[in-house]
Each structure stands twice: as C-alpha cells, then as structure tokens.
Amino acid sequence: MSPCARPAVSQRLQGLEHHVDTHNHSSVEEFALQSFSEEPGLRGLFLVLFLLLFLGALAGNTLIVTAISLHPGLHTPMYFFLTNLAVLDIVCTSTVLPKSLENLVVKGGTISYQGCMTQLFFLTWFLGAELLLLTVMAYDRYVAICRPLHYSSRMGRPVCVLLAGSVWAVSAVSTSVHTGLMTRLTFCGPNQIQHFLCEVPTLLLLSCSPTMLNNVMIVIADVYFGVVNFLLTMASYGCIIASILRMRSAAGKQRAFSTCSSHLLVVTLYYSTVIYTYILPGSGSSLENGKVVAVLYTAVSPTLNPLIYSLRNKDVKVALRKVFS
C-alpha cells in the first residue's frame, strides 16, 4: 500500500469505528425499573396493596362518572369538571399501576424503550391536565360563590366545554414537546431507571446527549403548570374565603364552604405531592421519598378523590344510592 493511500484508509477505519460507536450508544432497547423491595414477603405485601389501590381507583371513579351521567340533577358545571377529573384519575392510574404490578410479580422487571416513551407521554399528559383542571374547578367555585348572579352566563355549557377541551389540549401539546425532545436523546447505558415508572427527570439522568434544551423546557413547564396554576388556584380561594367571611348568615357560610371544601382538600393533597416531587433535590434519600410521593399522586390520590367527593357531598351520595338501587 502506498503512503498516500494510508491516510484515506485510516479515515475510513475511524469513520467505521464512529458508526459502530454511535450504533452502540443508541442500542438501548429496554430499561430496568426499580422495585419497591427485593424481599419476597414485602413484594407480596406491596402487590396486594397496589392491586387494591388500582381496583379502588377504577371502581370509585367509574361510579362517580356513572352517577353524574345518570342523575340529571348533577348536570352542572361543577360536576361536569368532576367527571373530567374522574376520567383523568382512571387513565392516570391505568398508565402506571399495571406495569408496577407486573414488576412486583416478575423480579427484575423491565420496560421497552417504546413502552417507556409511551408511559412518559401519557403520564405527563394526565398529570399536567389534572393541574390545569384543578385551576378551572377553583375558578368555577369562585364564580359560583363570589359572582352568583353571573354564574349562568360565565359558566354556560359552551364555556365549560371550551375550558375542559383546553385543559386536555394544552397538556397534550406540552407532553408532545417533552416526549419529542426525549426521543432525540441518546441512551448508552446504564439503563437502570431509579424509579418504578418512566418520568422525565429520571430518564435525563441516563442520557449521554446534552440535555440543556430538555431542562429549559422542564423549567418552563414547571413554572406554568406548577407555579402559575398554583397561584391562580390560591387567588381563587383567597377571594372565596373572603366572600364567605363577609356573609352574615351562618347557614350561608356553611353551605358555601361545603361546596368547595372537597375540591380544596383534593387541591391540597395533589399539590403537596407534586411540589415535593419536583422541588426537592435529587439526593439518595429524596429519590426514595420521591417513589413514595409518586405512589401518592398516581395511586392513592385517584383512590381518595371519589371518597372525598362522595363523603362530603349530599348530591353525590343521593346519586350513588340511585345507581346502586
């Protein structure tokens, strides 16, 4: 071989090595999910617990949707948004818990790359939509209590449908951006996700590609879905509480507070778990605590929401009794 040909051959070999290396970096076809425990006894306990939560969430929210749909007296804006919340809880828990139950049955559970991206898409979609929906529900209670004379005009059916559709659409656009940016990243190992589900923060820790753009979009989404909606919800309830305190009748105060106490309890439970998950630093202890908190907003909260609304609402109790009768 002539000296002039050696550089060309060397360049070809380097290009081939780069191609093979790039192929290896993008060859992660599945991720390993962490389980809650490696001890068979505890795994069985968690399996029973999660199965009960899953069945409870499905049954409770399905009953709420059925009762509201069959009872004409509940065809109001407040219960229309409650129906959307119940649907969100059903699809959210169905996105996470079946795979978690499978990983508790099969030791060393994994999830495919496509399955992980699918779970990421739907989980981010439903969690974001729930934050927006809680804000819309707070606005509905604000208009009902603080502007009762304008309630029928401000919260007519076309407005309610537009608000609910916007909740689903805006969150869908946001999750499409996050999932699209995630699919552009390269994962070269290790493929061990430090969680029992696929979330944006945990997946970014495994990427070999620059994640600056992903982090910027996460900050923007957190500010909008978390901070802005939280402030709007708190502003609505600030006006509601001030309006209730100005009422002279004790019965009127009790009736007004009873219409929003269930929603306020749900808001407190949901925001406390989400803020704890996304604000605390990623230390080892907080990662373990983050798993517990993730269980709260993907399993416990969807199970408790129907109980909160049914136990503290006479109209829902009446509708549920009619469903069972």
Side-chain angles (χ1 to χ4, degrees):
M1 181 181 298
S2 65
C4 295
R6 289 174 185 172
V9 174
S10 177
Q11 291 177 0
R12 291 175 184 174
L13 291 175
Q14 290 177 0
L16 180 60
E17 290 173 358
H18 175 73
H19 174 76
V20 173
D21 184 64
T22 303
H23 177 74
N24 289 336
H25 277 226
S26 59
S27 62
V28 173
E29 297 181 355
E30 64 178 16
F31 295 98
L33 296 172
Q34 281 193 344
S35 181
F36 281 89
S37 177
E38 298 299 328
E39 299 182 13
L42 290 178
R43 290 171 68 90
L45 179 63
F46 283 125
L47 177 63
V48 173
L49 176 62
F50 288 163
L51 181 60
L52 291 176
L53 288 173
F54 182 48
L55 296 178
L58 291 181
N61 287 286
T62 301
L63 281 175
I64 290 289
V65 173
T66 304
I68 294 175
S69 301
L70 298 180
H71 190 46
L74 299 183
H75 293 175
T76 63
M78 173 182 173
Y79 296 107
F80 171 73
F81 295 129
L82 179 56
T83 302
N84 279 264
L85 180 64
V87 172
L88 279 173
D89 285 337
I90 291 173
V91 293
C92 180
T93 190
S94 300
T95 301
V96 175
L97 286 190
K99 189 63 182 180
S100 300
L101 291 172
E102 177 188 335
N103 290 340
L104 286 171
V105 174
V106 181
K107 188 175 181 180
T110 60
I111 184 172
S112 66
Y113 176 84
Q114 292 79 8
C116 187
M117 292 299 112
T118 302
Q119 186 183 75
L120 171 71
F121 176 86
F122 285 105
L123 180 62
T124 308
W125 184 12
F126 301 143
L127 292 180
E130 191 150 349
L131 289 172
L132 294 176
L133 184 60
L134 292 176
T135 304
V136 171
M137 295 174 74
Y139 174 73
D140 171 70
R141 292 299 84 205
Y142 160 76
V143 178
I145 295 175
C146 301
R147 299 288 186 272
L149 298 179
H150 304 281
Y151 185 71
S152 58
S153 60
R154 288 194 180 185
M155 300 303 297
R157 184 168 184 80
V159 176
C160 293
V161 172
L162 177 62
L163 289 173
S166 300
V167 164
W168 289 86
V170 171
S171 184
V173 171
S174 175
T175 190
S176 299
V177 172
H178 287 296
T179 307
L181 291 175
M182 188 64 66
T183 57
R184 294 167 57 90
L185 299 181
T186 300
F187 297 93
C188 56
N191 65 340
Q192 177 70 48
I193 297 178
Q194 302 297 317
H195 215 313
F196 66 91
L197 51 82
C198 292
E199 278 189 323
V200 173
T202 52
L203 285 175
L204 290 181
L205 297 176
L206 304 180
S207 174
C208 304
S209 305
T211 59
M212 176 64 70
L213 182 57
N214 298 73
N215 291 323
V216 171
M217 295 307 299
I218 288 176
V219 172
I220 295 175
D222 286 348
V223 169
Y224 174 68
F225 285 95
V227 178
V228 173
N229 283 278
F230 178 76
L231 294 177
L232 290 175
T233 302
M234 291 300 101
S236 297
Y237 274 103
C239 295
I240 289 172
I241 293 173
S243 179
I244 292 176
L245 293 177
R246 287 195 298 266
M247 294 180 181
R248 297 181 179 181
S249 170
K253 290 182 179 180
Q254 183 178 1
R255 185 169 58 254
F257 183 74
S258 65
T259 63
C260 60
S261 58
S262 299
H263 179 252
L264 183 59
L265 184 58
V266 171
V267 166
T268 303
L269 175 64
Y270 194 78
Y271 269 102
S272 61
T273 56
V274 171
I275 290 174
Y276 183 90
T277 301
Y278 288 97
I279 289 184
L280 285 185
S283 62
S285 59
S286 63
L287 285 175
E288 292 300 321
N289 294 336
K291 296 176 186 176
V292 177
V293 175
V295 173
L296 292 178
Y297 66 76
T298 58
V300 177
S301 181
T303 306
L304 291 180
N305 286 350
L307 294 176
I308 293 173
Y309 278 103
S310 61
L311 293 178
R312 299 184 61 87
N313 192 303
K314 292 187 297 183
D315 294 334
V316 175
K317 289 180 183 178
V318 171
L320 288 174
R321 280 197 293 267
K322 289 185 177 180
V323 170
F324 284 112
S325 64

